[in-house]
Amino acid sequence: MKSEVKQAKLCIQIEKDLTANRVKGLVDEAKRMVGQIDNYREISVDLSRVQHIDSTGISFIIGLYKSACSNSKAFKLTGLNEDIFGLFRLMKLDKILEIETA
């Protein structure tokens, strides 16, 4: 996971699939990023390199969204492939989250 602040956005690039065996390590890293960096108004999560996501990955994304909301920050997902976007639509998360597909 890479991050940088550009134009008042905390841009987070997820570089691997968001599955149970990978998410655990990302949670602590994401909390650290969101807590230590404060010169941004929006969290933008790029999922263009993610091919698979499971329920643990969905929980990770929701956790980031809740962190953004609790810190009065906007939240956006970008780069979702068709399958992952379809999953988010099925779960009606597209009604809650701002999503840009690939």
Side-chain angles (χ1 to χ4, degrees):
M1 181 165 58
K2 295 179 183 177
S3 69
E4 66 178 326
V5 176
K6 293 190 295 190
Q7 301 174 350
K9 287 184 188 180
L10 173 58
C11 300
I12 299 173
Q13 169 91 45
I14 307 294
E15 299 176 314
K16 297 181 180 180
D17 292 342
L18 287 174
T19 55
N21 59 334
R22 295 190 173 133
V23 168
K24 187 177 181 188
L26 296 178
V27 170
D28 293 333
E29 189 176 347
K31 283 182 183 178
R32 181 187 53 76
M33 275 189 255
V34 171
Q36 289 180 350
I37 303 170
D38 62 357
N39 59 336
Y40 63 92
R41 292 188 306 260
E42 176 181 316
I43 296 174
S44 177
V45 181
D46 182 353
L47 299 177
S48 60
R49 295 183 181 175
V50 175
Q51 296 301 309
H52 299 95
I53 189 168
D54 64 12
S55 60
T56 306
I58 297 285
S59 295
F60 172 74
I61 295 296
I62 292 170
L64 283 175
Y65 170 73
K66 289 172 72 175
S67 292
C69 290
S70 68
N71 290 302
S72 301
K73 311 290 186 187
F75 183 83
K76 179 176 16 178
L77 295 175
T78 63
L80 281 73
N81 68 34
E82 231 177 88
D83 292 336
I84 293 175
F85 180 64
L87 177 62
F88 276 73
R89 282 186 44 217
L90 180 68
M91 298 176 73
K92 306 229 185 283
L93 291 172
D94 62 320
K95 305 293 184 201
I96 299 166
L97 305 172
E98 183 179 345
I99 299 174
E100 290 180 8
T101 57

